[in-house]
Amino acid sequence: MRPEVRDALARCLYDGPGDPLAPDLADHRPDELRMAGILRRRADRMIAALAAAGLVVTDDGLLRQAA
């Protein structure tokens, strides 16, 4: 899957202001503590859960039943 698809899903999981995946040069915390890293890991877990349920997110961002 393209990273853009995962990032689009990660943005959907965020309900705060601004773009949570935008680089923040003032934030020197490790990636695992930044909002972008947290949301990307959540999106990865959601994609894995969908796959376990027999669904896949295609490269064009569509949800389909696994073959």
Side-chain angles (χ1 to χ4, degrees):
M1 172 183 331
R2 296 181 317 181
E4 297 87 12
V5 174
R6 186 219 37 220
D7 285 356
L9 182 56
R11 284 184 177 95
C12 291
L13 296 171
Y14 183 70
D15 61 356
D19 182 359
L21 304 184
D24 182 358
L25 300 177
D27 190 353
H28 300 291
R29 295 176 295 171
D31 184 55
E32 62 268 7
L33 298 177
R34 290 186 207 150
M35 183 56 67
I38 292 167
L39 290 172
R40 285 183 174 120
R41 284 190 304 281
R42 286 182 184 171
D44 285 338
R45 286 195 307 264
M46 181 174 278
I47 292 165
L50 290 168
L55 301 168
V56 295
V57 179
T58 63
D59 279 345
D60 55 1
L62 298 175
L63 186 62
R64 298 186 188 245
Q65 207 163 16

